[in-house]
């Protein structure tokens, strides 16, 4: 039984913390939203302030929004890196630039703390079930120290290299594709509507054709049913495609399709749909073309 | 045993003609490239000039490049529609605008000729094997008359409606997605290379993640192996995405992601790669970013 803390109890972090707890570890959960912290304790999370217990932890999973929050947790005021014990591991799950991951690994090493670059994929439901995909890179020691957390939370661990950066690079590649595929699904589905192809028929036929994608099969049914309960929100994509394009710009890499897709998600957020399921990017197309999506007002 | 002609013996048409022949029908093949016509006869195709036999045909599959060629075959100088017998069927396989398909159906009807709007999907290998997907719409009579051809050439026939247009609409939707997915695969694969993700690792990991697509799994291995033998050529996409955007413009539908993808294929053709496999769109990204793809000069 290890002592493990999860920092960040949002949709993904709460599921990760619950999976670790279920695996029998002494599991602490912390969030700036204190009701989340209390909820996790009520469901069996360990008691104790972060200040009091951070020197005892074997592993800390940082499941926050981005690089800035990750850095604040590790090296901000009261940052954990300087207070964790030698040989403990930070498992960094946010989508961040590869260079940032390398920097965090080096700064943690100065404190004798291991660092696993471990962005996650799979959504809230798989997080809760302990069935995430983790795109991980780091030293052999970091992998070994993180093993209890990986075992408890992941269905698939991709081991992508012996140093931080490679995990985040693969995550960025995956997010580029996933984001573009969602927006393209919306573009194609609504284009089809202008030609008399119903959303139902679109899903039925295209999912069996060369035009299909994982995201199309996963998200297009949300449009068919008119249900935009956020499995993964529109607001994820201005953030994640923004990270992708920042990395690309720094590498002088031109990514025009990603840039076009990003604009559609920004427009969806601008229309007020940022908190809805990301399939709601279809509403941008529908409004522009005067189409009525399933479930929308008559 | 029916009497069937295939007009257009390119990569797709030759396979279709061979499949019909293999099914035991009296099969005529014609192409403006007369060596193709002769090759098909040498392999068992029926003898006879189109002028001599067109009044006897039960079905004509028109497997040409676009709407203009389809119209020329049916209604140009010596066009077939006026010379086919009553109740014979035209099976129109090119990617064309839905409005064009509806117009062809109406004009054929004036000559007592049935019309099946039947764009095809699956590539040359599946055409040769008689295992195409066909997105078909047309009258019950047109489907019935076309049945021997559908049986001989298709693994899957999507029956999309009782009038021409719906088949072509679904084909346009599929081509939008397929073209964007190929270009996005190339964008993501080369972006990954700037971050240390090798093309091999890209295929290995992403094909198991939410970022995958049918086209990614089919085309990315061509880049890994550096083999651009055209299974489906770059030049298909300026044509097909151009058709999609023409249809969209006429419907006042804004398709910014499709437009961005189209530019990448145009650039690939402009670089001289138009005759290569469409995965060669990756060469646009590689050149822009100073990357060397597998199999390229050292």
């Amino acid at each position: 039984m290890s002592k493990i803390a999860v920092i960040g109890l949002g949709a993904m972090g709460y599921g990760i913390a619950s999976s670790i707890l279920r695996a029998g570890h002494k599991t602490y959960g912390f969030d700036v939203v204190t009701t989340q912290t209390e909820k996790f304790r009520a469901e069996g999370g360990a008691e104790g302030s972060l200040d009091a217990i951070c020197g005892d932890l074997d592993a800390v999973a940082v499941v926050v929004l981005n690089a800035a929050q990750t850095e604040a947790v590790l090296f901000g005021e009261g940052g954990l890196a300087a207070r964790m014990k030698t040989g403990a591991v930070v498992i960094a799950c946010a989508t961040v630039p590869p260079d940032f991951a390398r920097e965090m690994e080096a700064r943690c090493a100065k404190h004798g703390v291991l660092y696993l670059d471990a962005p996650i994929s799979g959504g809230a439901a798989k997080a809760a079930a302990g069935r995430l995909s983790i795109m991980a890179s780091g030293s052999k020691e970091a992998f070994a120290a993180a093993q209890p957390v990986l075992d408890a939370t992941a269905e698939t661990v991709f081991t992508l290299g012996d140093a931080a950066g490679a995990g985040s690079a693969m995550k960025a590649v995956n997010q580029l594709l996933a984001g573009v595929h969602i927006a393209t699904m919306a573009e194609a589905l609504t284009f089809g509507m202008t030609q008399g192809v119903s959303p139902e028929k679109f899903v039925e036929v295209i999912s069996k054709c060369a035009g299909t994608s994982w995201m199309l099969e996963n998200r297009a049914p949300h449009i068919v049913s008119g249900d935009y309960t956020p499995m993964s929100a529109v607001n994820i994509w201005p953030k994640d495609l923004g990270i992708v394009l920042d990395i690309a710009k720094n590498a002088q890499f031109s990514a025009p399709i990603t840039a076009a897709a990003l604009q559609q998600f920004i427009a969806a957020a601008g229309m007020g749909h940022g908190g809805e399921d990301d399939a709601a990017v279809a509403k941008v197309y529908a409004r522009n073309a005067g189409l009525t999506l399933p479930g929308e007002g008559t």
Side-chain angles (χ1 to χ4, degrees), chain A:
Chain A
M1 181 170 116
S2 300
K3 291 178 186 164
I4 299 167
V6 176
I7 312 295
L9 297 175
M12 301 299 286
Y14 201 96
I16 287 174
S18 301
S19 297
I20 296 170
L21 179 63
R22 209 165 49 237
H25 301 289
K26 186 162 191 175
T27 310
Y28 301 87
F30 300 99
D31 198 283
V32 289
V33 180
T34 54
T35 50
Q36 287 295 95
T37 307
E38 288 156 16
K39 183 181 168 200
F40 184 66
R41 283 183 188 161
E43 293 183 0
E47 303 279 340
S49 75
L50 187 53
D51 286 342
I53 58 97
C54 69
D56 283 337
L57 294 168
D58 300 302
V60 174
V62 183
V63 196
V64 294
L65 197 63
N66 54 25
Q69 292 185 4
T70 301
E71 184 169 17
V73 166
L74 296 178
F75 298 105
E77 195 181 323
L80 294 181
R83 299 195 287 159
M84 289 169 69
K85 68 183 180 192
T86 300
V89 65
V90 168
I91 300 154
C93 297
T95 298
V96 303
D99 283 345
F100 172 84
R102 285 184 275 269
E103 181 198 330
M104 289 297 104
E105 180 186 49
R107 288 174 68 184
C108 282
K110 288 184 187 161
H111 298 284
V113 170
L114 301 164
Y115 185 94
L116 192 72
D117 181 23
I120 52 183
S121 175
K126 289 208 164 182
R131 295 183 53 211
L132 289 168
S133 291
I134 302 185
M135 300 178 179
S137 69
S139 67
K140 203 159 93 173
E141 294 76 18
F143 269 106
Q147 200 62 51
V149 173
L150 299 177
D151 288 344
T153 60
E155 179 173 77
T156 307
V157 178
F158 296 105
T159 56
L160 297 171
D162 59 5
S168 287
M170 191 65 84
K171 178 72 191 293
V173 168
N174 189 62
Q175 292 307 87
L176 184 165
L177 287 156
V180 171
H181 289 170
I182 292 168
T184 305
M185 173 278 291
E187 186 163 309
L189 183 147
T190 49
F191 167 70
M193 289 175 71
T194 71
Q195 302 303 309
V197 176
S198 73
E200 294 83 353
K201 204 75 180 173
F202 172 91
V203 172
E204 177 194 332
V205 175
I206 298 294
S207 64
K208 301 192 194 92
C209 291
T212 196
S213 69
W214 192 97
M215 278 297 178
L216 186 151
E217 293 176 37
N218 189 267
R219 299 300 207 275
H222 300 178
I223 299 173
V224 171
S225 64
D227 182 356
Y228 297 96
T229 307
M231 300 300 288
S232 177
V234 165
N235 279 337
I236 294 292
W237 295 107
K239 176 179 79 68
D240 277 14
L241 293 184
I243 291 170
V244 168
L245 290 177
D246 280 347
I247 299 169
K249 185 177 65 183
N250 288 335
Q252 296 192 300
F253 181 85
S254 169
I257 301 174
T258 308
L262 170 59
Q263 296 307 312
Q264 301 305 98
F265 287 111
I266 291 173
M271 284 174 68
H273 303 304
E276 297 179 21
D277 188 83
D278 50 25
V281 70
K283 296 182 181 181
V284 176
Y285 291 97
R287 188 185 60 174
N288 287 349
L291 301 167
T292 302
L293 293 172
E296 288 193 327
T298 51

